[in-house]
Amino acid sequence: MTTPLTLTSGRRPDGTVCLAVAGEIDMSNAGLLAEALEAHAGPVVVDLTGVEYLDSAGLSVLFAHADRLQLIVTPLLEPVLTVSGLTDLATVHALRSDHRPHA
């Protein structure tokens, strides 16, 4: 059974692709995230603020595209990305609990 995951694609005013992700990313649906990232060449802003759970399958997808990703994350996911080393490879913008960017 696939875990619910919502992917919404759009563009920023500067033309950069944005991908808003909501739900849980696990081995049952990580392929959907990979397909969404592979559908776009160049930089992608991935808004993970709606993600409640991220397992190693989801991390693997993010690692595979890390060199072109800007990730927007909540305090829930920030430690996971830091411990995994993804923050060393991708640009990560952490939001505070009130959903404003850290200064």
Side-chain angles (χ1 to χ4, degrees), residues 26-81:
D26 61 22
M27 65 184 262
S28 73
N29 59 25
L32 296 173
L33 177 60
E35 289 173 10
L37 292 173
E38 290 162 4
H40 303 287
V44 179
V45 175
V46 182
D47 181 346
L48 297 172
T49 58
V51 172
E52 300 159 357
Y53 176 80
L54 174 67
D55 76 1
S56 60
L59 281 172
S60 292
V61 171
L62 296 175
F63 267 100
H65 299 276
D67 61 332
R68 62 189 191 97
L69 298 182
Q70 287 188 49
L71 305 173
I72 303 170
V73 301
T74 60
L76 175 68
L77 291 183
E78 187 178 16
V80 173
L81 301 183

Side-chain angles (χ1 to χ4, degrees), residues 1-13:
M1 184 167 128
T2 303
T3 304
L5 181 67
T6 303
L7 303 168
T8 307
S9 184
R11 291 200 179 265
R12 294 179 126 182

